[in-house]
């Protein structure tokens, strides 16, 4: 049964580790991990979560974009598990955008991300997918992939001026 899990918070060593590729996608423990991550991100109201955020050092994340007040044009997609995900190529254009993170509560950071990326991943049945993501989806993918490489958005801001409290972010940008 899927269980919502506690979320690792900034400073915990698991968030700084490079996560390991998954070889046994069909195993009950990986299938349960996927279910738990889906449950956890849904309960927390996030648009994505990576396995290290629930203390699992594995290359898997969930992307679950839906329109919200911050991103009214965000694509509405079913929650998708992406295993051993990779960026195959990217365009040259980058864009600044404010990011939050379930592991960094109460803070927002201005982060530059590629606006066009070509990606691949394995789904929970082990099938390989290729896709082109733009804008918001591209941003989520890059944010989550960073978690698998031991980085959070705090590592990506250009300067400390690009970190603000969530309440101040709401006041200034909504
Ligand atoms: Zn995050």
């Amino acid at each position: 049964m899927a269980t919502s899990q506690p979320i690792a918070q900034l400073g915990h060593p698991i968030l700084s580790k490079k996560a390991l590729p998954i070889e046994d996608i069909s195993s009950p423990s990986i299938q349960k991990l996927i279910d738990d991550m889906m449950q956890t991100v849904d309960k927390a109201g996030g648009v994505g979560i990576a396995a290290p955020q629930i203390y699992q050092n594995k290359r898997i994340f969930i992307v679950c974009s839906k329109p919200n007040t911050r991103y009214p044009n965000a694509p509405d997609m079913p929650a998708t598990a992406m295993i051993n995900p990779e960026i195959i190529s990217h365009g040259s254009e980058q864009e600044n955008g404010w990011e939050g993170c379930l592991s960094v509560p109460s803070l927002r950071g201005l982060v530059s991300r590629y606006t066009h990326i070509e990606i691949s991943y394995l789904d929970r049945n082990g099938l390989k997918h290729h896709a082109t993501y733009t804008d918001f989806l591209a941003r989520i993918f890059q944010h989550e992939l960073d978690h698998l490489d031991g980085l959070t958005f705090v590592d990506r801001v250009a300067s400390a001026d690009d970190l603000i409290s969530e309440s101040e972010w709401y006041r200034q940008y909504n």
Side-chain angles (χ1 to χ4, degrees):
M1 205 180 94
T3 321
S4 181
Q5 299 291 323
I7 296 173
Q9 301 294 291
L10 184 68
H12 192 284
I14 188 84
L15 296 176
S16 309
K17 269 191 169 169
K18 195 168 167 76
L20 302 172
I22 294 173
E23 281 156 20
D24 50 346
I25 294 175
S26 60
S27 74
S29 66
I30 295 296
Q31 293 294 317
K32 164 100 164 65
L33 172 61
I34 292 168
D35 291 337
D36 286 354
M37 289 171 71
M38 296 238 182
Q39 187 91 358
T40 306
V41 72
D42 185 57
K43 187 180 166 202
V47 291
I49 193 167
Q53 292 184 276
I54 60 164
Y55 303 92
Q56 298 293 317
N57 191 30
K58 296 182 192 310
R59 298 192 78 79
I60 172 167
F61 57 66
I62 309 288
V63 173
C64 44
S65 164
K66 19 180 144 33
N68 56 38
T69 50
R70 289 161 59 191
Y71 300 100
N73 301 316
D76 198 354
M77 66 182 281
T80 304
M82 300 185 179
I83 297 155
N84 300 340
E86 289 179 61
I87 294 177
I88 295 164
S89 67
H90 57 75
S92 56
E93 192 188 332
Q94 292 186 266
E95 191 173 68
N96 277 331
W98 289 99
E99 295 186 9
C101 179
L102 298 175
S103 294
V104 191
S106 314
L107 269 189
R108 296 287 156 124
L110 190 63
V111 180
S112 179
R113 301 284 190 191
Y114 293 112
T115 57
H116 288 73
I117 55 173
E118 235 184 282
I119 60 96
S120 72
Y121 66 89
L122 299 170
D123 68 21
R124 67 182 303 166
N125 300 312
L127 297 173
K128 185 123 182 175
H129 294 257
H130 289 267
T132 301
Y133 288 165
T134 60
D135 304 318
F136 187 60
L137 264 189
R139 179 171 295 279
I140 299 175
F141 192 95
Q142 289 167 89
H143 176 115
E144 301 308 332
L145 190 62
D146 268 358
H147 278 301
L148 305 188
D149 292 326
L151 299 171
T152 67
F153 75 76
V154 175
D155 298 301
R156 291 286 192 190
V157 297
S159 90
D161 293 338
D162 294 335
L163 286 173
I164 64 176
S165 77
E166 196 165 63
S167 57
E168 193 57 25
W169 176 81
Y170 274 113
R171 194 182 68 81
Q172 292 184 29
Y173 297 99
N174 288 274

